[in-house]
Each structure stands twice: as structure tokens, then as C-alpha cells.
Amino acid sequence: MRHAPTTNVSKGFRLALELGVCALAIWITIWLSYAVGFVGNTVVAIWPAGGLGVWMALRYGWRAVPSIALGQGLHVLTTFPPDQLIAGLLPSVTNGIAIGIAISLYRRAVGAAEPLYSLRTVTLFFVIPGVLHSVIASVAGTSIMIAFFDVQGAARWEIAWRWLFSDFTGVVLIAPFMLAVEEAWSKRQRLVALFSRDLASATAITLGVLALIGIAATQMPDALGQYPIVLFTMPLCIWLAFKESSITSLSLLATSILGALGLTLARVGDVSAAGFLVVQLYGVVVMCTSLVLHANSRERRQALAALASERASLERTVAERTAALQDQIAAYELVKAELEKQASTDSLTGLANRRAFMSHLDEQFSKIKRNNGTQCLVMMDLDHFKTINDTHGHAVGDEVLEQVGIILKDSARTGMDFPARLGGEEFACLLDDTSLEGGIIAAKRLLKRIEDAVVKTTAGPLSFTASAGLAPITGELPSIHHAMVAADEALYEAKRSGRNQVCTHDPLTITISLKVAQHSSG
């Protein structure tokens, strides 16, 4: 907070310095206008100070009005005789007020839009800062001339028209150029950036065309009069109007029109006031037409750029939403896979559950039917498991089931055997590409590992056994149900025969065909 006053003072000093430099620029501009312009009744043919003042008001608002009046007043104080000072200073004040009024109305009409860079803003620029300001300044200035110099008759209208045209020409030629300079400066922050390769090449072409027009003008018949030179610049001005860079377009448009007016004066020599007004009107029409073309071209480019930006934004949005959708799909697939896993997996042992096992069994039976292969179905049940639960509790019973699940996983051949918990203490395993003899060996090995397993309990180590029933699966079976029934019958036969052993059953005969002695006895 301590630095705020210093900052405000610094900003105020900078603003005063800028307005002072602008006032000095207006003074120099007026001096040059009188040095090169058509002078009559103290009114020059072109008033660039009006365009400079309009730009100042667009930039600084009403704060620019005293500076505009000061710049014009300095010229009066340094050139007018003492008895004409009041007559000279009053138009300086009225010109500044006219600019302030016109720019206030213009800003209210266009709002926050950039001046001169759309058809609407450029049209309003011609009407308000151009015509309205020039009319107010002309009426006020002519009235002062009449009051102080007793101007009579047609001279009044001559002053009024010349004043209006000089102000309007200055506004149309200078203000757009200053706005383009300000825009380029604000965007690039360096004076050297204003002088691009495009500006250099366009300047060379413009000066070359003006030189050719000047040479051609010396050969034109006198009967053509003094008007064609400005019209000859029309193709050049149209080309310049469509330049993408506003600083290039507007600076060289002003150069072309002023050059054409200068060539006209050089060729004709002592041109009449009325004749010069006509040539000046031609130049203003060419400049206004070029401004409209440039505004339309720029507005179109901006619309295309906005469309491209919107398209790029839409593509980014689509890409982001597509990525988000893909993430959602991936998350959904993970959830789906997890749910399917949960739906097909026994939560306690991590083995496949009955549903998954039956589905796999159906798939493998179809494969066996096609390929005439052989697989073995092992049905296994823990012996006296109810006693374990009743004696040691269900927690220990769960540990026993988990241990059996581990043994089944370790014993299964990866990618071939398919172990599962069917429910309670009942397990199963489908042995792929396995004959009946191979299945018996595998089942005996499995029961031996179960018998050797030990589960620690509070009452000490706990051992347990299991019984198994085995049935071969071939393509000759009418259905997989026959194998399930045969394996189940073999399991119950093993239970009835003393447990901790493997029995087999032929699904085709549904009779016990082989009984294997207790595996511990070999």
C-alpha cells in the first residue's frame, strides 16, 4: 500500500508526457500542412491534425481534448499576428470539442469492438468521427471566420466546404494509420517489429507504381484534366486493402492517396480551389472504399481464424471426451472382469466355483467330441470334514479348505488341468489329455499331498485326508452328465470302501470297473 501513491504519480506523469508529445506532434503536423497544402482564407486543403486528434481521443478519451486544443493553439501563437490570436485560438478549442463529442458518440455506438476492423465499425467511423466531427468543426470554424473577418457571400460556403473536406480527408487518411501503428506496437512491443519484410516489399511496389503514374501523367493530354491520377491509384489501393497486415495496408493507402494528390498538384500547377476539392473528393472516395475492403477482408480472416480455433477446440473436446469415455470403458471392463471373476471364483480358496467349472466342462466336452481326445474327471471330498468343524471350529475348517485349494493349484498343470471347489468340502479337477491310468496316478499323488499337509490349530497340528472318484471322458459319451454321475458314484464308492483312496467308474456302463487300494499301500 505504501507504493500506491508513487505508482499513481508515475502513471499520471507518463500520461501527461504522452499527451504533451501528442500536442507537439499536432503542432508539427499543422506546420507541415500549411507548408505543403492549398491555403485560402486560413484553411488548408488537408488537415492531418484532425486525424491525429481523432486517434488521440480514441486512445485517451476526453483527456485528449485539452492536448488537441493545445497543439493547434501552439501553431496559432507562433504564426498568427496578435490581433488575430483570439480568432485563431477559438477554432482550436472548437476542433478539440468537436473531436471529443464525435469520439464519445462513436465509442458508445461500437462498444468494445475494435475500430475500423469490421464493416459496422468502419461505416460508423465514416459517419461519426468523419462526417459529424467535420461538420461540427466546419460550422464552428466558419462562424468564427464570419464573426471576426466579416466574410460575405459565396466565400462563406467556400470556407465551410473547404474546412469540412480538409478535416474529413485528414481523419480518413491519418486516423486509420495511427490505429494500425498502435495495434502493431501493442502486440509486438517493439518499434522494429513494425518494419516487416511484407511492409518493405509493399512499400517498394507502392513507390514504384506512384513513380510510373507520375511519369505517365506527364504524357497525358491536357484535355483529360487533373482528375485521372487519383483514379489510376485505384488498382494499387485495392491490392493494398487486401493485405493481411493493417500497418502495411493503411500506411501505404495513405501514402498512395497523398502521393496521387501531390502528383496532381505537380502536373497541373496552379490548380483552382474547386478543382482541387474535386480531386480531393476522388481521393477520399478511393480511401474510404479501400478501408471498407480492408475491414471486410480482416473480418473474414478473423471469422476463419475463429472457426479454425473453434474447430480445434471442438476436436480437443472430442478427443478429451473420447479419452474419458475410453477410460470409463476400461474402468467398466475392469469392473466387469472383477465381477466375472467374483462370479466364477470361490472366495475362500481362489479356485473356480461350480458355475465356472460346469461351463469349462461343457466347453472341454465339445472339444473332445471334435478331436476324439480323452480327459479325466476327478471328484474329491474331504474325509470327516464335519468332525473338523465341530471339534476345531469353522475358522480351522476354512484353513483346511484353503490348504486343499493351495494343493490343487500347485498340483495342476498350467494351461491344462482345471481345479475347482464345487461347494462345502467337495472339490473337482478336470485333467486334460489324460488317460484313465494317468488320471489314477495323478489322483493318488494329489491325495498323498493332502494327507501330508498339516494345519496348525490351538489344539496342535491337524492332519486330514480326502477321497476321490475318477471317470474318463471320451467322445463316445452321450453327454457330460454321464461322466459327472460316474465320478460321483466312484467318489461314494471310495467313501464306502474306507476313505483316503481313489475309485473309478466307467460312464458307459455305470458300474464299478476298478477299485484301487489305499494309495498308501501302493
Side-chain angles (χ1 to χ4, degrees):
M1 295 300 292
R2 292 179 181 178
H3 298 285
T6 304
T7 303
N8 291 335
V9 171
S10 176
K11 289 182 178 179
F13 177 77
R14 180 178 177 181
L15 176 62
L17 181 61
E18 290 180 3
L19 291 175
V21 171
C22 289
L24 184 62
I26 288 179
W27 181 21
I28 296 173
T29 302
I30 295 173
W31 178 80
L32 292 173
S33 300
Y34 274 91
V36 300
F38 179 90
V39 183
N41 290 323
T42 70
V43 181
V44 295
I46 299 176
W47 189 250
L52 192 57
V54 165
W55 169 76
M56 290 171 59
L58 283 169
R59 178 175 174 83
Y60 300 104
W62 276 98
R63 293 175 297 182
V65 171
S67 183
I68 296 170
L70 175 62
Q72 297 188 28
L74 287 174
H75 171 73
V76 174
L77 292 174
T78 55
T79 58
F80 279 45
D83 59 333
Q84 295 182 7
L85 287 179
I86 296 177
L89 291 174
L90 284 177
S92 302
V93 176
T94 56
N95 281 350
I97 294 174
I99 290 174
I101 294 172
I103 295 304
S104 295
L105 294 175
Y106 180 68
R107 279 299 189 191
R108 184 174 298 179
V110 301
E114 292 185 65
L116 298 181
Y117 296 136
S118 70
L119 290 177
R120 177 173 173 271
T121 57
V122 78
T123 302
L124 289 172
F125 179 81
F126 294 149
V127 174
I128 303 176
V131 175
L132 180 61
H133 147 252
S134 301
V135 168
I136 295 174
S138 175
V139 171
T142 303
S143 300
I144 292 171
M145 293 297 103
I146 293 173
F148 281 87
F149 298 104
D150 193 24
V151 180
Q152 300 293 328
R156 297 180 176 182
W157 290 105
E158 181 182 346
I159 292 174
W161 280 111
R162 190 175 299 157
W163 201 307
L164 188 150
F165 270 98
S166 64
D167 269 357
F168 186 79
T169 306
V171 169
V172 170
L173 291 177
I174 303 302
F177 165 68
M178 293 302 299
L179 287 169
V181 171
E182 180 185 3
E183 180 190 38
W185 176 271
S186 64
K187 286 184 177 180
R188 302 179 184 178
Q189 301 297 321
R190 292 185 304 171
L191 184 60
V192 69
L194 300 179
F195 300 96
S196 62
R197 181 179 299 179
D198 179 62
L199 176 58
S201 61
T203 300
I205 293 173
T206 300
L207 295 179
V209 171
L210 289 176
L212 290 175
I213 292 175
I215 294 171
T218 61
Q219 306 300 319
M220 287 191 305
D222 293 337
L224 291 177
Q226 56 205 21
Y227 313 125
I229 296 178
V230 176
L231 297 181
F232 287 164
T233 63
M234 176 65 83
L236 173 64
C237 291
I238 292 176
W239 176 71
L240 291 172
F242 284 103
K243 299 294 289 183
E244 183 174 353
S245 169
S246 292
I247 183 66
T248 299
S249 177
L250 299 181
S251 63
L252 294 180
L253 280 171
T255 301
S256 301
I257 301 301
L258 290 173
L261 294 177
L263 289 174
T264 300
L265 289 173
R267 179 183 182 277
V268 177
D270 188 17
V271 63
S272 65
F276 188 83
L277 285 178
V278 174
V279 177
Q280 186 176 352
L281 178 61
Y282 284 0
V284 168
V285 170
V286 172
M287 184 65 181
C288 291
T289 303
S290 301
L291 284 174
V292 169
L293 291 176
H294 181 69
N296 183 61
S297 175
R298 176 161 171 156
E299 192 173 28
R300 180 175 176 274
R301 283 194 298 270
Q302 289 177 339
L304 291 175
L307 183 61
S309 177
E310 185 177 352
R311 179 178 179 180
S313 176
L314 181 61
E315 289 177 350
R316 286 194 300 270
T317 301
V318 170
E320 290 171 359
R321 292 185 178 179
T322 300
L325 183 59
Q326 289 175 341
D327 290 342
Q328 291 177 358
I329 292 174
Y332 168 77
E333 293 294 336
L334 289 176
V335 172
K336 179 182 176 183
E338 182 63 25
L339 291 175
E340 289 179 350
K341 180 180 178 182
Q342 292 177 6
S344 61
T345 304
D346 176 60
S347 60
L348 180 62
T349 62
L351 297 174
N353 60 16
R354 177 181 289 275
R355 172 177 172 272
F357 184 76
M358 295 306 297
S359 175
H360 181 75
L361 204 58
D362 289 336
E363 292 175 2
Q364 292 302 306
F365 185 65
S366 299
K367 176 182 173 183
I368 292 170
K369 282 283 192 181
R370 291 193 305 269
N371 302 331
N372 294 321
T374 301
Q375 297 189 13
C376 281
L377 173 62
V378 179
M379 302 285 287
M380 189 178 70
D381 193 274
L382 296 182
D383 297 330
H384 305 296
F385 184 71
K386 184 176 184 303
T387 303
I388 295 175
N389 276 337
D390 293 343
T391 304
H392 301 284
H394 289 280
V396 173
D398 289 344
E399 290 185 41
V400 169
L401 295 175
E402 287 183 86
Q403 187 65 40
V404 173
I406 293 172
I407 293 171
L408 281 171
K409 288 179 185 177
D410 292 343
S411 301
R413 295 171 294 175
T414 303
M416 297 184 68
D417 301 338
F418 194 84
R421 180 189 177 195
L422 302 184
E425 68 274 21
E426 187 178 3
F427 295 85
C429 187
L430 182 63
L431 306 177
D432 188 21
D433 193 21
T434 303
S435 64
L436 179 61
E437 292 76 12
I440 294 171
I441 294 172
K444 288 171 62 178
R445 187 183 301 116
L446 182 63
L447 293 187
K448 181 68 171 75
R449 289 193 61 182
I450 292 174
E451 184 181 15
D452 293 341
V454 176
V455 174
K456 295 180 180 179
T457 68
T458 55
L462 174 65
S463 298
F464 48 91
T465 61
S467 301
L470 192 118
I473 305 175
T474 64
E476 299 175 358
L477 293 180
S479 70
I480 195 64
H481 180 69
H482 286 71
M484 292 287 293
V485 171
D488 200 51
E489 287 291 338
L491 173 61
Y492 280 106
E493 176 63 22
K495 290 278 191 181
R496 289 192 295 267
S497 301
R499 295 183 173 83
N500 194 24
Q501 59 182 302
V502 178
C503 289
T504 64
H505 197 290
D506 187 352
L508 294 174
T509 60
I510 312 299
T511 59
I512 298 297
S513 60
L514 177 64
K515 179 178 178 181
V516 182
Q518 199 169 8
H519 63 273
S520 58
S521 62

